[in-house]
Amino acid sequence: DTEVTQTPKHLVMGMTNKKSLKCEQHMGHRAMYWYKQKAKKPPELMFVYSYEKLSINESVPSRFSPECPNSSLLNLHLHALQPEDSALYLCASSQQQALNQPQHFGDGTRLSIL
Amino acid sequence: GQNIDQPTEMTATEGAIVQINCTYQTSGFNGLFWYQQHAGEAPTFLSYNVLDGLEEKGRFSSFLSRSKGYSYLLLKELQMKDSASYLCAVRDVGGRDDKIIFGKGTRLHILP
């Protein structure tokens, strides 16, 4: 079990669906991250939130829309995804973005686009 | 630019020692992490180096040479559960953003 909780664990959706991935942490961390990981590849950074503000957007397509409602929650809204978006989506948090603190990862949401 | 290299796969025997190397090139190096990731699971933090030298933590040790852009993760007394991918990740503060960049990972296979 990790201290970063992601739901759902698995998600299958069609290309016209709208769904959301959720991430929650109660460690008081002020930096939260979304990563995309394809099989046998490293995690690729998508977004970073620092103190609930979007700090980094790695040129992610607009069909992925992040949201940070409060310091404990991070969402990723999905709309009109493509089959190549099928991947493991990992959420992580760290005490702050600027400090050399390790990131704590959730178990991820395995997303399949039909 | 940014570049992190580590071997794609390695094989070692239970009870032995293995060293996983990582070389990096970044515009603004400020720390290196090692993570372990079992198949289908989240990466978990193993070690962090920012100064030259060796950091030891139980069976795992990590070494850094900033001048050579080089790190290694040393695993001793290998156990079957050590079969996993090991990700080298570098903190790069030289560009527009302060972020962690992951290497492609080394898949370690432990044989009985």
Side-chain angles (χ1 to χ4, degrees):
Chain A
D1 288 343
T2 65
E3 295 168 319
V4 177
T5 305
Q6 290 188 243
T7 55
K9 292 193 185 304
H10 301 274
L11 179 61
V12 180
M13 57 187 286
M15 289 189 284
T16 58
N17 293 155
K18 285 186 182 180
K19 297 285 185 183
S20 296
L21 308 185
K22 297 186 183 301
C23 175
E24 190 168 1
Q25 57 86 15
H26 294 287
M27 294 178 282
H29 289 176
R30 303 314 300 267
M32 296 186 77
Y33 310 78
W34 279 116
Y35 287 88
K36 173 183 177 180
Q37 187 175 27
K38 303 282 268 186
K40 298 184 179 180
K41 299 288 187 183
E44 297 174 17
L45 183 65
M46 300 174 72
F47 302 104
V48 180
Y49 273 83
S50 180
Y51 288 86
E52 298 151 57
K53 287 185 168 36
L54 184 63
S55 170
I56 295 177
N57 177 343
E58 288 287 278
S59 302
V60 179
S62 59
R63 57 185 185 268
F64 295 91
S65 175
E67 178 198 18
C68 190
N70 60 56
S71 60
S72 300
L73 293 174
L74 185 66
N75 298 323
L76 186 63
H77 303 297
L78 314 173
H79 173 55
L81 294 195
Q82 303 297 311
E84 61 264 27
D85 296 324
S86 297
L88 179 68
Y89 288 84
L90 292 164
C91 173
S93 70
S94 63
Q95 286 190 2
Q96 293 187 38
Q97 181 187 353
L99 296 179
N100 286 325
Q101 297 292 324
Q103 294 180 17
H104 297 252
F105 285 84
D107 286 333
T109 294
R110 193 162 297 282
L111 177 66
S112 297
I113 306 301
L114 302 178
Chain B
Q2 305 150 340
N3 192 43
I4 301 175
D5 284 318
Q6 47 182 135
T8 304
E9 290 193 72
M10 297 183 71
T11 301
T13 305
E14 191 176 15
I17 298 173
V18 71
Q19 178 175 310
I20 303 174
N21 296 325
C22 171
T23 58
Y24 62 87
Q25 292 173 308
T26 60
S27 53
F29 175 84
N30 199 1
L32 186 145
F33 299 86
W34 283 96
Y35 285 86
Q36 179 192 60
Q37 187 175 25
H38 286 98
E41 297 183 13
T44 55
F45 169 73
L46 291 177
S47 67
Y48 168 69
N49 296 71
V50 68
L51 300 176
D52 287 355
L54 188 69
E55 295 281 341
E56 296 186 77
K57 193 184 291 186
R59 294 189 298 115
F60 294 4
S61 303
S62 57
F63 171 83
L64 177 67
S65 169
R66 294 178 67 133
S67 61
K68 295 180 180 177
Y70 166 69
S71 172
Y72 67 73
L73 180 69
L74 190 72
L75 292 76
K76 302 177 186 176
E77 301 170 17
L78 287 170
Q79 302 175 8
M80 297 303 292
K81 67 179 181 179
D82 297 330
S83 292
S85 284
Y86 292 85
L87 301 164
C88 173
V90 171
R91 182 180 174 207
D92 185 0
V93 301
R96 183 171 54 93
D97 300 314
D98 175 353
K99 56 189 178 183
I100 306 292
I101 302 161
F102 283 86
K104 290 185 166 64
T106 299
R107 286 192 299 282
L108 177 63
H109 306 280
I110 308 298
L111 302 177

CSV table of all heavy atoms in Angstrom, one decimal, chain A residues 3 5-6 12-13 15 22 34 37 40 43 45-47 57 61-62 65 68 73 90 95 101 105 107 109-110 113:
chain,number,residue,atom,x,y,z
A,3,GLU,N,1.1,5.7,0.2
A,3,GLU,CA,0.4,6.8,0.9
A,3,GLU,C,-0.2,7.7,-0.1
A,3,GLU,O,-0.9,8.7,0.3
A,3,GLU,CB,1.5,7.6,1.7
A,3,GLU,CG,2.1,6.7,2.9
A,3,GLU,CD,3.3,7.3,3.5
A,3,GLU,OE1,4.1,7.9,2.8
A,3,GLU,OE2,3.4,7.3,4.7
A,5,THR,N,-3.0,7.7,-2.9
A,5,THR,CA,-4.1,6.8,-3.3
A,5,THR,C,-4.7,7.3,-4.7
A,5,THR,O,-5.1,8.4,-4.8
A,5,THR,CB,-5.3,6.8,-2.3
A,5,THR,OG1,-4.7,6.5,-1.0
A,5,THR,CG2,-6.3,5.8,-2.7
A,6,GLN,N,-4.8,6.3,-5.6
A,6,GLN,CA,-5.3,6.7,-6.9
A,6,GLN,C,-6.6,5.8,-7.2
A,6,GLN,O,-6.6,4.6,-6.9
A,6,GLN,CB,-4.3,6.4,-8.0
A,6,GLN,CG,-3.1,7.4,-8.0
A,6,GLN,CD,-2.3,7.2,-9.3
A,6,GLN,OE1,-1.1,6.8,-9.1
A,6,GLN,NE2,-2.8,7.4,-10.4
A,12,VAL,N,-11.5,1.5,-18.4
A,12,VAL,CA,-11.7,1.2,-19.9
A,12,VAL,C,-12.7,2.2,-20.4
A,12,VAL,O,-13.8,2.3,-19.8
A,12,VAL,CB,-12.1,-0.2,-20.2
A,12,VAL,CG1,-12.3,-0.5,-21.7
A,12,VAL,CG2,-11.2,-1.2,-19.6
A,13,MET,N,-12.3,2.9,-21.4
A,13,MET,CA,-13.3,3.9,-21.9
A,13,MET,C,-13.2,4.1,-23.4
A,13,MET,O,-12.1,3.7,-24.0
A,13,MET,CB,-13.0,5.3,-21.3
A,13,MET,CG,-11.6,5.9,-21.4
A,13,MET,SD,-11.4,7.4,-20.5
A,13,MET,CE,-12.3,8.6,-21.4
A,15,MET,N,-13.5,6.3,-27.0
A,15,MET,CA,-12.8,7.6,-27.4
A,15,MET,C,-13.7,8.8,-27.3
A,15,MET,O,-13.3,9.9,-27.3
A,15,MET,CB,-12.3,7.5,-28.9
A,15,MET,CG,-11.1,6.5,-29.0
A,15,MET,SD,-10.4,6.6,-30.7
A,15,MET,CE,-11.6,5.6,-31.6
A,22,LYS,N,-8.5,10.2,-10.2
A,22,LYS,CA,-8.4,10.9,-9.0
A,22,LYS,C,-7.1,10.5,-8.2
A,22,LYS,O,-6.7,9.3,-8.3
A,22,LYS,CB,-9.6,10.7,-8.1
A,22,LYS,CG,-10.9,11.3,-8.8
A,22,LYS,CD,-12.1,11.2,-7.9
A,22,LYS,CE,-13.3,11.7,-8.6
A,22,LYS,NZ,-13.2,13.1,-9.1
A,34,TRP,N,1.5,14.4,-12.2
A,34,TRP,CA,0.9,13.3,-13.1
A,34,TRP,C,2.0,12.9,-14.0
A,34,TRP,O,2.7,13.7,-14.7
A,34,TRP,CB,-0.3,13.8,-13.9
A,34,TRP,CG,-1.6,13.9,-13.2
A,34,TRP,CD1,-2.3,15.0,-12.9
A,34,TRP,CD2,-2.3,12.8,-12.6
A,34,TRP,NE1,-3.5,14.6,-12.2
A,34,TRP,CE2,-3.5,13.3,-12.0
A,34,TRP,CE3,-2.1,11.4,-12.6
A,34,TRP,CZ2,-4.5,12.5,-11.4
A,34,TRP,CZ3,-3.1,10.6,-12.0
A,34,TRP,CH2,-4.2,11.1,-11.4
A,37,GLN,N,3.0,6.4,-18.1
A,37,GLN,CA,4.0,5.3,-18.3
A,37,GLN,C,3.5,4.2,-19.2
A,37,GLN,O,2.5,3.6,-18.9
A,37,GLN,CB,4.4,4.7,-16.9
A,37,GLN,CG,5.6,3.8,-17.1
A,37,GLN,CD,6.1,3.3,-15.7
A,37,GLN,OE1,5.4,3.2,-14.8
A,37,GLN,NE2,7.4,2.9,-15.7
A,40,LYS,N,7.2,-1.0,-20.2
A,40,LYS,CA,8.7,-1.1,-20.3
A,40,LYS,C,9.3,0.2,-20.6
A,40,LYS,O,10.4,0.2,-21.2
A,40,LYS,CB,9.0,-2.2,-21.3
A,40,LYS,CG,8.6,-3.6,-20.9
A,40,LYS,CD,9.0,-4.6,-21.9
A,40,LYS,CE,8.6,-6.0,-21.5
A,40,LYS,NZ,9.0,-7.1,-22.4
A,43,PRO,N,8.5,6.5,-16.5
A,43,PRO,CA,7.4,7.5,-16.4
A,43,PRO,C,7.8,8.8,-17.1
A,43,PRO,O,8.9,9.3,-17.1
A,43,PRO,CB,7.4,7.8,-14.8
A,43,PRO,CG,8.1,6.6,-14.2
A,43,PRO,CD,9.1,6.2,-15.2
A,45,LEU,N,6.8,12.7,-17.4
A,45,LEU,CA,6.1,13.8,-16.7
A,45,LEU,C,5.1,14.5,-17.6
A,45,LEU,O,5.3,14.8,-18.7
A,45,LEU,CB,7.1,14.8,-16.2
A,45,LEU,CG,6.5,16.0,-15.4
A,45,LEU,CD1,6.0,15.5,-14.0
A,45,LEU,CD2,7.6,17.0,-15.1
A,46,MET,N,3.9,14.7,-17.0
A,46,MET,CA,2.8,15.4,-17.7
A,46,MET,C,2.6,16.8,-17.1
A,46,MET,O,2.7,17.8,-17.8
A,46,MET,CB,1.5,14.6,-17.7
A,46,MET,CG,1.6,13.2,-18.3
A,46,MET,SD,0.0,12.3,-18.0
A,46,MET,CE,-1.1,13.2,-19.2
A,47,PHE,N,2.3,16.8,-15.8
A,47,PHE,CA,1.9,18.0,-15.1
A,47,PHE,C,2.6,18.0,-13.7
A,47,PHE,O,2.7,17.0,-13.1
A,47,PHE,CB,0.4,18.2,-15.0
A,47,PHE,CG,-0.4,18.1,-16.2
A,47,PHE,CD1,-1.1,17.0,-16.6
A,47,PHE,CD2,-0.4,19.3,-17.1
A,47,PHE,CE1,-1.8,17.0,-17.8
A,47,PHE,CE2,-1.2,19.2,-18.2
A,47,PHE,CZ,-1.9,18.1,-18.6
A,57,ASN,N,3.5,22.2,-17.4
A,57,ASN,CA,2.7,21.4,-18.4
A,57,ASN,C,3.7,21.0,-19.5
A,57,ASN,O,4.1,21.9,-20.2
A,57,ASN,CB,1.6,22.3,-18.9
A,57,ASN,CG,0.7,21.6,-19.9
A,57,ASN,OD1,1.1,20.6,-20.5
A,57,ASN,ND2,-0.4,22.1,-20.2
A,61,PRO,N,-1.4,17.2,-24.6
A,61,PRO,CA,-2.6,17.6,-25.4
A,61,PRO,C,-3.8,18.0,-24.5
A,61,PRO,O,-3.9,17.5,-23.4
A,61,PRO,CB,-2.9,16.3,-26.2
A,61,PRO,CG,-1.6,15.5,-26.2
A,61,PRO,CD,-0.9,15.9,-25.0
A,62,SER,N,-4.6,18.9,-25.1
A,62,SER,CA,-5.7,19.4,-24.3
A,62,SER,C,-6.8,18.4,-23.9
A,62,SER,O,-7.6,18.7,-23.1
A,62,SER,CB,-6.3,20.6,-25.0
A,62,SER,OG,-6.8,20.2,-26.2
A,65,SER,N,-6.9,17.2,-19.0
A,65,SER,CA,-7.0,18.5,-18.3
A,65,SER,C,-6.9,18.2,-16.8
A,65,SER,O,-7.7,17.6,-16.1
A,65,SER,CB,-8.4,19.0,-18.5
A,65,SER,OG,-8.7,20.2,-17.8
A,68,CYS,N,-6.5,20.8,-9.5
A,68,CYS,CA,-6.1,20.6,-8.2
A,68,CYS,C,-7.0,21.3,-7.2
A,68,CYS,O,-6.8,22.5,-6.9
A,68,CYS,CB,-4.6,21.1,-8.0
A,68,CYS,SG,-3.9,20.6,-6.4
A,73,LEU,N,-5.7,16.9,-3.1
A,73,LEU,CA,-6.4,16.2,-4.2
A,73,LEU,C,-5.8,16.7,-5.6
A,73,LEU,O,-5.5,17.9,-5.7
A,73,LEU,CB,-7.9,16.5,-4.2
A,73,LEU,CG,-8.7,15.9,-3.1
A,73,LEU,CD1,-10.1,16.4,-3.1
A,73,LEU,CD2,-8.6,14.4,-3.1
A,90,LEU,N,0.3,7.6,-13.5
A,90,LEU,CA,0.8,7.6,-12.1
A,90,LEU,C,0.7,9.0,-11.5
A,90,LEU,O,1.1,10.0,-12.2
A,90,LEU,CB,2.3,7.2,-12.1
A,90,LEU,CG,2.6,5.7,-12.4
A,90,LEU,CD1,4.1,5.6,-12.7
A,90,LEU,CD2,2.2,4.8,-11.2
A,95,GLN,N,7.2,16.8,-0.8
A,95,GLN,CA,7.0,17.9,0.2
A,95,GLN,C,6.9,19.2,-0.5
A,95,GLN,O,6.0,20.0,-0.3
A,95,GLN,CB,8.1,17.9,1.2
A,95,GLN,CG,8.1,16.8,2.2
A,95,GLN,CD,9.0,17.0,3.3
A,95,GLN,OE1,9.8,18.0,3.4
A,95,GLN,NE2,9.1,16.0,4.2
A,101,GLN,N,13.4,16.3,-2.4
A,101,GLN,CA,12.6,15.3,-1.7
A,101,GLN,C,12.2,14.3,-2.6
A,101,GLN,O,11.8,14.5,-3.8
A,101,GLN,CB,11.4,16.0,-1.0
A,101,GLN,CG,11.8,17.1,0.0
A,101,GLN,CD,12.5,16.5,1.2
A,101,GLN,OE1,12.1,15.4,1.6
A,101,GLN,NE2,13.4,17.2,1.8
A,105,PHE,N,4.9,7.7,-5.0
A,105,PHE,CA,4.0,7.4,-6.1
A,105,PHE,C,2.8,6.6,-5.6
A,105,PHE,O,2.9,5.8,-4.7
A,105,PHE,CB,4.7,6.6,-7.2
A,105,PHE,CG,5.7,7.4,-8.0
A,105,PHE,CD1,7.0,7.6,-7.6
A,105,PHE,CD2,5.3,7.9,-9.3
A,105,PHE,CE1,7.8,8.4,-8.4
A,105,PHE,CE2,6.1,8.6,-10.1
A,105,PHE,CZ,7.4,8.8,-9.6
A,107,ASP,N,-0.2,3.8,-6.9
A,107,ASP,CA,-0.2,2.6,-7.6
A,107,ASP,C,-0.6,2.7,-9.1
A,107,ASP,O,-0.5,1.8,-9.9
A,107,ASP,CB,-1.0,1.5,-7.0
A,107,ASP,CG,-0.4,1.0,-5.7
A,107,ASP,OD1,0.9,1.0,-5.6
A,107,ASP,OD2,-1.1,0.5,-4.8
A,109,THR,N,-3.3,4.3,-12.3
A,109,THR,CA,-4.6,3.9,-12.9
A,109,THR,C,-4.2,3.3,-14.3
A,109,THR,O,-3.6,4.0,-15.1
A,109,THR,CB,-5.5,5.1,-13.1
A,109,THR,OG1,-6.0,5.5,-11.8
A,109,THR,CG2,-6.7,4.6,-14.0
A,110,ARG,N,-4.6,2.1,-14.5
A,110,ARG,CA,-4.3,1.5,-15.8
A,110,ARG,C,-5.4,1.8,-16.8
A,110,ARG,O,-6.6,1.4,-16.6
A,110,ARG,CB,-4.1,0.0,-15.7
A,110,ARG,CG,-3.5,-0.6,-17.0
A,110,ARG,CD,-2.9,-2.0,-16.7
A,110,ARG,NE,-1.8,-2.0,-15.8
A,110,ARG,CZ,-0.5,-1.6,-16.1
A,110,ARG,NH1,-0.2,-1.2,-17.3
A,110,ARG,NH2,0.4,-1.6,-15.2
A,113,ILE,N,-8.0,2.6,-23.8
A,113,ILE,CA,-8.9,3.3,-24.7
A,113,ILE,C,-9.3,2.4,-25.8
A,113,ILE,O,-8.4,1.9,-26.5
A,113,ILE,CB,-8.2,4.6,-25.2
A,113,ILE,CG1,-7.7,5.4,-24.1
A,113,ILE,CG2,-9.2,5.4,-26.1
A,113,ILE,CD1,-8.7,5.9,-23.1
